[in-house]
Amino acid sequence: MWSFVIVNAVIVETLFLSAGSGKNGVLTFAKFFGLHAALLMMFQLLLVARMPWLDRRIGMDRLTVWHRWVGFTLLWTVLTHATLVILGYATLDDTSMAKTFVALSGVPASLLGMWAAATVLVIGVISTRPLRRRLRYEVWHGLHLLLYVALGLAFVHQLEETTTFTSSAFATAYWWILWLFAFGALLTGRVVMPLWRNAYHRFRVTAVVPESDDVVSVYVTGRHLDKLPARAGQFCIWRFPGHNHWWLANPFSLSAAPGGIGLRLTAKAAGSTSAGLRNLKVGSRAFVEGPYGAFTSLHRTRPGALLIAGGVGITPVRAMLEEQATGDVVVLYRVRSEADAVLLNEVRHLIELRGGRLHLLTGRTGEGGAPPPFSPDGLHHLVPDITERDVYVCGPPAMTKAVLAGLRDLRVPARQVHAERFGLA
């Protein structure tokens, strides 16, 4: 992926240098930032296109984080481009930037660019942490979809700027191919594949089983599930038409290894959508996107594995225990009390079959004078050979952060550490 980015960055730099300078130095710099804004926009599309070959190697959680930071880079690049364009023409015409702004707004190509920049600015503002925390996910996500409008406006804006598209035959072919590839990847990954996969498999709910007062498992079956490219540890984005509005979806891990017969999710009641899963009717349709995620045994590098789970984060770990794997396995399962340990009996049974070890970590941190379980001393005490194992971590953000910090202090190689962070935004 990074090779792809670097190659395209070099091509854009070459096109910029070969196209010649602008009407003045400021406009030349404006064109420089404009070309790179277009490249960043297409990179943004690829990061959220949910392409399987990229998702299975990197993971949607990391891709989403990169999407966020590339988004803010795009925002500042677009604003810099717009400011320099206005300043450049104001200098050229020896007039104020305000009058230049009004004059440029009367030019169709410039007006499209202004609308695209304004849309990117609005999305950037609502995506800052203080505002993002105040908005419901559905509201934020709906507004965030305006980015696709901005991309369309930016594409036409670039198309109308003839010096960008027609500086050479190669430049014209390059920009068309790159835009078509980016939009094609997005449409394929986000629209075509989910629709085709659901039409082909026809997912339906076969059972709803309460696991505790606030945890429920939902069993889903369908046609030709042996052809569904799912692995233990991955998650899907689930919608249940008739149960909630179509735009309400949740990422839930597969809590059982997919074996070609059916799928299972196990969820804790953390919101209105997950809390209502126990009311699903058997036989109702399910709309499944995915599977997604790099939290799988494909990334194993060592014979032994340490699986660390917190709360309902045990679900992908439980699925991985069911998957046939070589080497010894140790599981650290952190919960407040044994009564809160979801799927505990299943986990114990699977560990016994594998000849592994389970440490059920309950109670308050530091009780009895013992070191915190996820501190470097605590981890080393529980798993002395931790540096010789692949470590998989899935749980609440605070727990995951503590575990990763402890692993760094113990100098566990980064290639042996695999973490799953839930959330789509």
Side-chain angles (χ1 to χ4, degrees), residues 9 15 123 131 156 167 174 189 200 206 220-221 230 362 376:
L15 291 176
I123 295 171
L131 288 179
V156 179
S167 61
Y174 170 77
Y200 180 68
T206 57
V220 174
T221 191
T362 62

Side-chain angles (χ1 to χ4, degrees), residues 120-411:
V120 171
L121 177 61
V122 169
I123 295 171
V125 170
I126 66 171
S127 296
T128 56
R129 295 193 186 278
L131 288 179
R132 173 66 189 88
R133 290 185 180 127
R134 294 175 180 270
L135 293 174
R136 287 174 54 89
Y137 172 77
E138 294 76 20
V139 174
W140 174 85
H141 186 253
L143 293 172
H144 198 76
L145 292 178
L146 290 173
L147 181 60
Y148 298 126
V149 176
L151 290 170
L153 294 172
F155 170 70
V156 179
H157 167 69
Q158 188 182 23
L159 188 64
E160 292 294 320
E161 294 292 340
T162 56
T163 57
T164 298
F165 255 75
T166 60
S167 61
S168 67
F170 175 80
T172 302
Y174 170 77
W175 285 113
W176 272 109
I177 291 172
L178 199 58
W179 276 107
L180 290 173
F181 173 70
F183 277 116
L186 181 75
L187 290 174
T188 300
R190 300 296 294 269
V191 179
V192 176
M193 280 300 298
L195 291 176
W196 177 86
R197 188 163 283 168
N198 280 270
Y200 180 68
H201 293 296
R202 296 185 183 180
F203 299 105
R204 289 192 177 276
V205 176
T206 57
V208 179
V209 180
E211 303 287 354
S212 67
D213 291 341
D214 59 351
V215 177
V216 64
S217 289
V218 178
Y219 293 76
V220 174
T221 191
R223 303 187 310 163
H224 313 300
L225 291 185
D226 57 312
K227 293 181 172 60
L228 183 69
R231 293 188 65 93
Q234 291 189 300
F235 69 94
C236 296
I237 300 173
W238 305 81
R239 290 180 174 86
F240 297 96
H243 170 63
N244 276 311
H245 298 294
W246 65 268
W247 61 82
L248 295 178
N250 285 89
F252 294 122
S253 290
L254 299 174
S255 59
I261 299 175
L263 306 175
R264 184 180 77 167
L265 70 91
T266 301
K268 184 175 182 179
S272 58
T273 303
S274 55
L277 290 177
R278 63 180 59 242
N279 299 321
L280 285 174
K281 294 181 179 179
V282 173
S284 61
R285 290 294 302 272
F287 191 89
V288 182
E289 289 184 55
Y292 301 121
F295 195 78
T296 69
S297 60
L298 286 174
H299 298 276
R300 287 281 296 272
T301 65
R302 312 291 293 185
L306 168 62
L307 311 178
I308 304 176
V312 78
I314 193 65
T315 53
V317 168
R318 185 260 179 235
M320 293 179 73
L321 287 172
E322 189 177 8
E323 184 180 63
Q324 292 294 332
T326 58
D328 64 305
V329 177
V330 178
V331 177
L332 306 184
Y333 188 5
R334 184 75 168 99
V335 287
R336 292 181 181 178
S337 65
E338 187 168 336
D340 297 317
V342 181
L343 307 177
L344 179 58
N345 290 334
E346 294 183 17
V347 171
R348 280 176 170 159
H349 175 67
L350 290 170
I351 290 177
E352 288 176 3
L353 291 177
R354 299 287 178 271
R357 289 179 288 142
L358 169 66
H359 295 278
L360 185 64
L361 309 174
T362 62
R364 294 181 177 275
T365 300
E367 279 186 341
F374 301 133
S375 66
D377 290 340
L379 288 170
H380 187 265
H381 173 73
L382 292 169
V383 191
D385 61 345
I386 189 170
T387 58
E388 301 300 319
R389 296 175 177 270
D390 277 294
V391 184
Y392 289 81
V393 187
C394 185
M399 188 207 84
T400 301
K401 183 178 179 180
V403 172
L404 295 180
L407 295 175
R408 283 194 298 270
D409 289 344
L410 290 171
R411 297 188 178 181

Side-chain angles (χ1 to χ4, degrees), residues 46-115:
L46 296 179
L47 288 175
V48 295
R50 297 178 184 170
M51 294 181 291
W53 65 269
L54 194 60
D55 172 72
R56 291 180 186 177
R57 287 161 176 79
I58 298 175
M60 191 188 292
D61 52 350
R62 290 175 65 192
L63 291 173
T64 302
V65 171
W66 293 355
H67 172 75
R68 173 181 174 81
W69 289 111
V70 171
F72 283 115
T73 304
L74 172 63
L75 170 63
W76 290 111
T77 304
V78 167
L79 291 179
T80 302
H81 168 68
T83 302
L84 289 175
V85 167
I86 297 171
L87 178 61
Y89 278 107
T91 303
L92 192 66
D93 299 333
D94 194 23
T95 186
S96 67
M97 291 184 66
K99 290 182 179 180
T100 303
F101 176 83
V102 173
L104 288 174
S105 65
V107 180
S110 298
L111 183 61
L112 290 172
M114 290 177 180
W115 279 109

